[in-house]
Amino acid sequence: MTTQNPFKYFKTSPEIIRLAVMYYIRYPLSFRQVEDILHESGIDICNETVRFWVNRFGAKFAKEIRQKRVGHHSNWQWHLDEVFVKIDGEIFYLWRAVDHEGEVLECLVTKRRNKAAAKKFIIKTMKKHGVPKIITTDKIPSYGAAFREIGVADKQLCGGRSNNRCENSHLPFRRRERAMQRFKTVATLQKFVSYHSEIYNHFNHQRHLESRQSFKRKRATALTEWFNFCAA
């Protein structure tokens, strides 16, 4: 079965589309800033075109990254945490799970921060990635109650600074939230975090833990793979 080329009816080359989408999602830039950066390279497009490309191809690129990375994450230790996100004056909770290397595993937006929400998030993550040996959380009671119902209470670890890994992984999302001047709807937030986390994983190489040569090699590989996504 032949896969249809997703760029078939676009006049702009796939390389430029991939470049624009990468700039917007990988860095905390606005659509107009991406337009200006591309203009300096001789590429004349509108900021609304960048918006359309991100909405059209962001999820497609994330899906291909997800398929290539199946089985590459670690189940040794997970870190779970939630952040407050204000949408149209209301507070929502973005639940996030990362492994011990900082790779984002799953994101979920809920209205409540109770046992039911925690249970839903944990079950969703385990269905996709299996059961870890250790699950690190903060001290909110919702996690403990959900773990007891699921039957993994013995895997929970909390206290001290054990969950700093997840706290630090919120920073790229917060930078992007400020650049977007907050999110307008819950659906927009859930859609964005789903592909933002996958693309962040693709380019996150922990440069402070590797030699310069190793980092440069991995960065070049990631860029090469990126410009081959959704190739016909």
Side-chain angles (χ1 to χ4, degrees), residues 4-208:
Q4 184 178 3
N5 181 7
F7 303 103
K8 182 177 181 180
Y9 299 105
F10 288 81
K11 295 180 179 179
T12 310
S13 71
E15 289 74 17
I16 293 176
I17 294 175
R18 293 190 188 99
L19 184 64
V21 174
M22 182 189 71
Y23 280 157
Y24 180 75
I25 299 178
R26 185 180 178 188
Y27 306 108
L29 301 173
S30 68
F31 293 118
R32 289 179 173 82
Q33 288 172 328
V34 174
E35 175 190 352
D36 292 340
I37 291 172
L38 294 177
H39 178 73
E40 292 173 3
S41 301
I43 302 170
D44 186 17
I45 59 171
C46 174
N47 63 284
E48 289 300 325
T49 302
V50 179
R51 184 195 306 273
F52 177 77
W53 288 345
V54 170
N55 291 333
R56 181 69 175 269
F57 293 102
K60 291 181 182 294
F61 295 155
K63 181 180 179 180
E64 192 156 339
I65 292 172
R66 193 178 304 115
Q67 291 172 345
K68 289 180 178 293
R69 297 179 68 87
V70 169
H72 289 181
H73 69 277
S74 171
N75 270 357
W76 172 57
Q77 184 175 14
W78 290 359
H79 299 261
L80 310 185
D81 196 27
E82 67 289 332
V83 292
F84 300 87
V85 183
K86 184 174 286 188
I87 301 175
D88 196 23
E90 290 189 77
I91 295 294
F92 290 83
Y93 300 94
L94 173 61
W95 302 74
R96 299 173 75 253
V98 304
D99 65 15
H100 72 282
E101 296 178 339
E103 181 169 326
V104 183
L105 302 176
E106 192 62 51
C107 299
L108 178 67
V109 182
T110 64
K111 176 61 177 174
R112 305 294 180 188
R113 189 176 60 163
N114 52 18
K115 182 185 71 174
K119 183 178 177 181
K120 178 181 179 181
F121 172 61
I122 295 164
I123 291 176
K124 180 181 180 183
T125 307
M126 288 183 175
K127 279 185 177 179
K128 286 187 178 182
H129 304 285
V131 181
K133 295 181 179 179
I134 304 171
I135 307 177
T136 306
T137 69
D138 54 25
K139 294 183 178 181
I140 65 169
S142 303
Y143 284 118
F147 286 155
R148 286 192 293 273
E149 286 199 4
I150 297 172
V152 294
D154 59 314
K155 299 180 182 295
Q156 185 182 15
L157 173 67
C158 61
R161 300 182 180 180
S162 57
N163 212 26
N164 280 0
R165 170 66 71 182
C166 199
E167 296 286 351
N168 291 334
S169 76
H170 293 319
L171 297 179
F173 167 76
R174 286 303 195 192
R175 286 194 290 266
R176 165 47 58 192
E177 181 187 29
R178 288 193 294 271
M180 297 175 70
Q181 298 180 0
R182 296 187 175 178
F183 296 90
K184 305 301 185 292
T185 65
V186 176
T188 301
L189 172 59
Q190 182 66 71
K191 179 181 178 182
F192 179 81
V193 295
S194 65
Y195 59 73
H196 177 266
S197 60
E198 295 292 344
I199 294 172
Y200 172 77
N201 288 341
H202 182 72
F203 290 104
N204 180 28
H205 302 301
Q206 301 289 331
R207 68 171 71 196
H208 61 290

